Amino acid sequence: MSCAKYQFTDALLCHDDELEGRRIAFILYLVPPWDRSLGGTLDLYSVDEHLQPKQPVKSLVPSWNTLVFFEVSPVSFHQVSEVLTEEKSRLSLSGWFHGPSPPRPPTYLEPPLPRSPHIPRDHEILYEWINPTYLDMDYQVQIQEEFEERSEILLKEFLKPEKFAQVCEALEKGGVEWSSRGPPNKRLYEQAEESTLPGVLRDCMELLHSEAFFLLLSNFTGLKLHFLAPSDDDEVADGKEGEVASTAAGTEEGASPSSSEPENGPGPTGNTSQQSDGQTDSAAEGIDAKNELNVPMCHGELRHWQTGHYTLIHDNSQAEFALDLLLYCGCEGWEPEYGGFTSYIAKEEDEELLTVNPENNSLALVYRDRETLKFVKHINHRGLEQKKTFPYRTGFWDFCFVYYE
Ligand SMILES: *[C@@H]1O[C@H](CO)[C@@H](O)[C@H](O)[C@H]1NC(C)=O
Ligand SMILES: *[C@@H]1O[C@H](CO)[C@@H](O)[C@H](O)[C@H]1NC(C)=O
Ligand SMILES: *[C@@H]1O[C@H](CO)[C@@H](O)[C@H](O)[C@H]1NC(C)=O
């Protein structure tokens, strides 16, 4: 049993409470007079055919000296919605009654996200879109040195100002079809329907997907994202020992016929706690999407972020070697305290390795290994303050690409 105090902007995102031996969850509320407008409700989710949570179907308002309890099961998905008052705190005692767990259905694993190789586009596209500073050879060498040392870099004012302005304008104008990405125990944000993207946004997606851009990224990072890029083996002389040295291992993994990652492993039992305010990763899944041809691949999406959105690290989050790219738009007045930043943590350790904050026209590159997971921090109701200074704004957008050697 423990006591929890939720204050302004605190929330506990969708999870099922399942842990070996937990049978009944209970909560005794010790709240001052409370109503729905203060947030902090206990929301219970329905599930889909894969027993994944869909949406809240019941929402309980906490009240003084009220006991709530429910059976812990593979479908007992619930959340504590964000507390919206600065005046009151939501106090409760909660815990579990234990006993032998009944047999569980097999863990559902999401199909991996589709990956594709570069699309043919020559260098022209780079000169058209990218700040010329980043196409300067000497500067690329500097970038690569820094990247190899730190495994991450932030390239500010990445697109030419006129191109970036066009992208922002297209996003602000609307006309993009967004669909909500779930399930809520793993993520909640909006993803653009790629087939309906207006011209300039489609072109920007194409840029990040292009052959020329794969080459540029190879130059920035020293990774072999194109067969023409020099590989580690070609540069024996230099004894650099950054994390990027492990890329060699990554390539071998890609080529080996089977990985013994716990795809069919023991599932969400025992020793993994879901109670940490653990947040989640989407791209980390699908490690088994084998790169048969050993061709560099990528997956990319255009996302919209606003209050209520997040991604979570979950029991089946899997880490793999990959290069993450984030390019942000519409971040005027965005503050880290709103959430929405991307946080990288060491697997098993909850230790924060790196935070990437949304920033207009800045391109973040992060190379992660199999010990690293990432999540996007829940965007709280403070995020609505952006509107005070920028009335036409609701959140921000990012182009999120992941590249595999
Ligand atoms: C962000 O980019 C847009 C489009 O170019 C511009 O209008 C805005 O002033 C920029 N904001 C900041 C804070 O740089
Ligand atoms: C990458 O660097 C090589 C020189 O090392 C250069 O010839 C090539 O043009 C660069 N590629 C891009 C896309 O900038
Ligand atoms: C936790 O892990 C240890 C060692 O791996 C194992 O002996 C133990 O049974 C596990 N506990 C649960 C509850 O699964």
mmCIF file of all heavy atoms in Angstrom, residues 123 126-127 134-137 140-141 211-220 230, ligand 2:
data_model
loop_
_atom_site.group_PDB
_atom_site.id
_atom_site.type_symbol
_atom_site.label_atom_id
_atom_site.label_comp_id
_atom_site.label_asym_id
_atom_site.label_seq_id
_atom_site.Cartn_x
_atom_site.Cartn_y
_atom_site.Cartn_z
ATOM 1 N N HIS A 123 21.449 15.591 -55.694
ATOM 2 C CA HIS A 123 21.891 16.673 -54.817
ATOM 3 C C HIS A 123 21.084 17.957 -54.918
ATOM 4 O O HIS A 123 21.039 18.723 -53.969
ATOM 5 C CB HIS A 123 23.359 16.999 -55.117
ATOM 6 C CG HIS A 123 24.300 16.075 -54.428
ATOM 7 N ND1 HIS A 123 24.197 14.705 -54.506
ATOM 8 C CD2 HIS A 123 25.368 16.345 -53.627
ATOM 9 C CE1 HIS A 123 25.154 14.165 -53.779
ATOM 10 N NE2 HIS A 123 25.875 15.131 -53.241
ATOM 11 N N LEU A 126 18.988 19.022 -52.094
ATOM 12 C CA LEU A 126 19.647 19.567 -50.903
ATOM 13 C C LEU A 126 19.865 21.068 -51.060
ATOM 14 O O LEU A 126 19.625 21.839 -50.123
ATOM 15 C CB LEU A 126 20.980 18.868 -50.650
ATOM 16 C CG LEU A 126 20.957 17.342 -50.510
ATOM 17 C CD1 LEU A 126 22.361 16.817 -50.238
ATOM 18 C CD2 LEU A 126 20.010 16.907 -49.405
ATOM 19 N N TYR A 127 20.327 21.478 -52.244
ATOM 20 C CA TYR A 127 20.590 22.913 -52.466
ATOM 21 C C TYR A 127 19.302 23.706 -52.438
ATOM 22 O O TYR A 127 19.279 24.867 -52.062
ATOM 23 C CB TYR A 127 21.351 23.120 -53.781
ATOM 24 C CG TYR A 127 22.725 22.524 -53.712
ATOM 25 C CD1 TYR A 127 23.047 21.362 -54.411
ATOM 26 C CD2 TYR A 127 23.702 23.094 -52.883
ATOM 27 C CE1 TYR A 127 24.303 20.787 -54.302
ATOM 28 C CE2 TYR A 127 24.960 22.531 -52.773
ATOM 29 C CZ TYR A 127 25.254 21.371 -53.483
ATOM 30 O OH TYR A 127 26.495 20.810 -53.356
ATOM 31 N N TYR A 134 25.313 23.916 -44.020
ATOM 32 C CA TYR A 134 25.396 22.488 -43.721
ATOM 33 C C TYR A 134 25.858 21.660 -44.912
ATOM 34 O O TYR A 134 26.062 20.469 -44.803
ATOM 35 C CB TYR A 134 24.052 21.970 -43.198
ATOM 36 C CG TYR A 134 23.708 22.570 -41.859
ATOM 37 C CD1 TYR A 134 22.605 23.408 -41.700
ATOM 38 C CD2 TYR A 134 24.522 22.325 -40.752
ATOM 39 C CE1 TYR A 134 22.318 23.981 -40.474
ATOM 40 C CE2 TYR A 134 24.238 22.896 -39.524
ATOM 41 C CZ TYR A 134 23.136 23.725 -39.386
ATOM 42 O OH TYR A 134 22.869 24.286 -38.173
ATOM 43 N N LEU A 135 26.023 22.337 -46.058
ATOM 44 C CA LEU A 135 26.488 21.604 -47.237
ATOM 45 C C LEU A 135 27.973 21.875 -47.470
ATOM 46 O O LEU A 135 28.593 21.338 -48.383
ATOM 47 C CB LEU A 135 25.644 22.001 -48.456
ATOM 48 C CG LEU A 135 24.138 21.726 -48.261
ATOM 49 C CD1 LEU A 135 23.341 22.181 -49.474
ATOM 50 C CD2 LEU A 135 23.879 20.253 -47.966
ATOM 51 N N ASP A 136 28.538 22.726 -46.627
ATOM 52 C CA ASP A 136 29.953 23.023 -46.709
ATOM 53 C C ASP A 136 30.761 21.833 -46.170
ATOM 54 O O ASP A 136 30.504 21.352 -45.065
ATOM 55 C CB ASP A 136 30.229 24.284 -45.867
ATOM 56 C CG ASP A 136 31.696 24.605 -45.791
ATOM 57 O OD1 ASP A 136 32.183 25.258 -46.722
ATOM 58 O OD2 ASP A 136 32.357 24.169 -44.816
ATOM 59 N N MET A 137 31.725 21.369 -46.975
ATOM 60 C CA MET A 137 32.470 20.140 -46.618
ATOM 61 C C MET A 137 33.209 20.266 -45.296
ATOM 62 O O MET A 137 33.172 19.364 -44.463
ATOM 63 C CB MET A 137 33.493 19.790 -47.702
ATOM 64 C CG MET A 137 32.879 19.161 -48.920
ATOM 65 S SD MET A 137 31.753 17.846 -48.455
ATOM 66 C CE MET A 137 30.412 18.251 -49.537
ATOM 67 N N GLN A 140 30.845 19.942 -42.521
ATOM 68 C CA GLN A 140 30.365 18.564 -42.352
ATOM 69 C C GLN A 140 31.374 17.725 -41.570
ATOM 70 O O GLN A 140 30.991 16.884 -40.745
ATOM 71 C CB GLN A 140 30.091 17.922 -43.716
ATOM 72 C CG GLN A 140 28.832 18.466 -44.385
ATOM 73 C CD GLN A 140 28.498 17.755 -45.691
ATOM 74 O OE1 GLN A 140 29.126 16.760 -46.063
ATOM 75 N NE2 GLN A 140 27.514 18.284 -46.398
ATOM 76 N N VAL A 141 32.642 17.982 -41.826
ATOM 77 C CA VAL A 141 33.677 17.243 -41.094
ATOM 78 C C VAL A 141 33.595 17.562 -39.594
ATOM 79 O O VAL A 141 33.639 16.671 -38.743
ATOM 80 C CB VAL A 141 35.095 17.575 -41.654
ATOM 81 C CG1 VAL A 141 36.186 17.024 -40.743
ATOM 82 C CG2 VAL A 141 35.237 17.023 -43.065
ATOM 83 N N GLU A 211 17.670 9.906 -51.519
ATOM 84 C CA GLU A 211 19.015 9.352 -51.630
ATOM 85 C C GLU A 211 20.055 10.392 -51.218
ATOM 86 O O GLU A 211 20.955 10.099 -50.434
ATOM 87 C CB GLU A 211 19.252 8.912 -53.082
ATOM 88 C CG GLU A 211 20.646 8.389 -53.309
ATOM 89 C CD GLU A 211 20.758 7.562 -54.583
ATOM 90 O OE1 GLU A 211 19.866 7.678 -55.449
ATOM 91 O OE2 GLU A 211 21.730 6.807 -54.691
ATOM 92 N N ALA A 212 19.899 11.625 -51.735
ATOM 93 C CA ALA A 212 20.860 12.684 -51.409
ATOM 94 C C ALA A 212 20.909 12.918 -49.896
ATOM 95 O O ALA A 212 21.978 13.138 -49.324
ATOM 96 C CB ALA A 212 20.477 13.974 -52.129
ATOM 97 N N PHE A 213 19.750 12.847 -49.255
ATOM 98 C CA PHE A 213 19.707 13.096 -47.814
ATOM 99 C C PHE A 213 20.343 11.944 -47.031
ATOM 100 O O PHE A 213 21.011 12.179 -46.020
ATOM 101 C CB PHE A 213 18.261 13.335 -47.359
ATOM 102 C CG PHE A 213 18.181 14.018 -46.034
ATOM 103 C CD1 PHE A 213 18.406 15.376 -45.925
ATOM 104 C CD2 PHE A 213 17.895 13.302 -44.876
ATOM 105 C CE1 PHE A 213 18.349 16.019 -44.687
ATOM 106 C CE2 PHE A 213 17.832 13.925 -43.645
ATOM 107 C CZ PHE A 213 18.064 15.293 -43.547
ATOM 108 N N PHE A 214 20.149 10.710 -47.485
ATOM 109 C CA PHE A 214 20.831 9.561 -46.857
ATOM 110 C C PHE A 214 22.349 9.780 -46.901
ATOM 111 O O PHE A 214 23.063 9.474 -45.939
ATOM 112 C CB PHE A 214 20.483 8.252 -47.576
ATOM 113 C CG PHE A 214 19.237 7.553 -47.069
ATOM 114 C CD1 PHE A 214 17.999 8.185 -47.072
ATOM 115 C CD2 PHE A 214 19.287 6.235 -46.605
ATOM 116 C CE1 PHE A 214 16.846 7.537 -46.624
ATOM 117 C CE2 PHE A 214 18.144 5.566 -46.156
ATOM 118 C CZ PHE A 214 16.918 6.221 -46.172
ATOM 119 N N LEU A 215 22.826 10.322 -48.038
ATOM 120 C CA LEU A 215 24.262 10.599 -48.172
ATOM 121 C C LEU A 215 24.704 11.713 -47.231
ATOM 122 O O LEU A 215 25.752 11.633 -46.590
ATOM 123 C CB LEU A 215 24.585 10.986 -49.622
ATOM 124 C CG LEU A 215 24.856 9.806 -50.549
ATOM 125 C CD1 LEU A 215 24.739 10.226 -52.002
ATOM 126 C CD2 LEU A 215 26.245 9.211 -50.274
ATOM 127 N N LEU A 216 23.880 12.751 -47.166
ATOM 128 C CA LEU A 216 24.196 13.867 -46.271
ATOM 129 C C LEU A 216 24.269 13.384 -44.816
ATOM 130 O O LEU A 216 25.186 13.731 -44.070
ATOM 131 C CB LEU A 216 23.129 14.956 -46.418
ATOM 132 C CG LEU A 216 23.335 16.216 -45.583
ATOM 133 C CD1 LEU A 216 24.601 16.964 -46.011
ATOM 134 C CD2 LEU A 216 22.122 17.145 -45.693
ATOM 135 N N LEU A 217 23.310 12.545 -44.440
ATOM 136 C CA LEU A 217 23.315 12.019 -43.063
ATOM 137 C C LEU A 217 24.551 11.159 -42.817
ATOM 138 O O LEU A 217 25.108 11.165 -41.719
ATOM 139 C CB LEU A 217 22.053 11.193 -42.793
ATOM 140 C CG LEU A 217 20.755 11.967 -42.606
ATOM 141 C CD1 LEU A 217 19.598 10.996 -42.380
ATOM 142 C CD2 LEU A 217 20.845 12.942 -41.436
ATOM 143 N N SER A 218 24.968 10.412 -43.835
ATOM 144 C CA SER A 218 26.197 9.624 -43.695
ATOM 145 C C SER A 218 27.361 10.560 -43.399
ATOM 146 O O SER A 218 28.200 10.281 -42.540
ATOM 147 C CB SER A 218 26.490 8.835 -44.974
ATOM 148 O OG SER A 218 25.412 8.000 -45.291
ATOM 149 N N ASN A 219 27.405 11.688 -44.107
ATOM 150 C CA ASN A 219 28.484 12.651 -43.876
ATOM 151 C C ASN A 219 28.397 13.267 -42.479
ATOM 152 O O ASN A 219 29.407 13.470 -41.821
ATOM 153 C CB ASN A 219 28.438 13.771 -44.919
ATOM 154 C CG ASN A 219 29.018 13.335 -46.248
ATOM 155 O OD1 ASN A 219 29.327 12.159 -46.447
ATOM 156 N ND2 ASN A 219 29.151 14.277 -47.178
ATOM 157 N N PHE A 220 27.202 13.573 -42.023
ATOM 158 C CA PHE A 220 27.037 14.176 -40.693
ATOM 159 C C PHE A 220 27.423 13.210 -39.574
ATOM 160 O O PHE A 220 27.898 13.628 -38.524
ATOM 161 C CB PHE A 220 25.570 14.559 -40.445
ATOM 162 C CG PHE A 220 25.102 15.802 -41.169
ATOM 163 C CD1 PHE A 220 23.742 16.033 -41.339
ATOM 164 C CD2 PHE A 220 26.009 16.739 -41.656
ATOM 165 C CE1 PHE A 220 23.286 17.178 -41.989
ATOM 166 C CE2 PHE A 220 25.560 17.886 -42.314
ATOM 167 C CZ PHE A 220 24.201 18.104 -42.474
ATOM 168 N N PRO A 230 31.608 5.996 -46.935
ATOM 169 C CA PRO A 230 32.700 5.166 -46.435
ATOM 170 C C PRO A 230 32.240 4.405 -45.190
ATOM 171 O O PRO A 230 31.455 4.926 -44.402
ATOM 172 C CB PRO A 230 33.790 6.174 -46.084
ATOM 173 C CG PRO A 230 33.101 7.488 -45.958
ATOM 174 C CD PRO A 230 31.871 7.424 -46.811
HETATM 175 C C1 LIG B 2 29.712 13.935 -48.440
HETATM 176 O O1 LIG B 2 31.095 14.122 -48.341
HETATM 177 C C2 LIG B 2 31.822 13.876 -49.547
HETATM 178 C C3 LIG B 2 33.302 14.131 -49.274
HETATM 179 O O2 LIG B 2 33.731 13.369 -48.193
HETATM 180 C C4 LIG B 2 31.371 14.810 -50.646
HETATM 181 O O3 LIG B 2 32.022 14.494 -51.860
HETATM 182 C C5 LIG B 2 29.861 14.685 -50.827
HETATM 183 O O4 LIG B 2 29.410 15.647 -51.751
HETATM 184 C C6 LIG B 2 29.150 14.889 -49.500
HETATM 185 N N1 LIG B 2 27.739 14.621 -49.687
HETATM 186 C C7 LIG B 2 26.786 15.481 -49.393
HETATM 187 C C8 LIG B 2 25.402 15.042 -49.659
HETATM 188 O O5 LIG B 2 27.013 16.591 -48.950
#
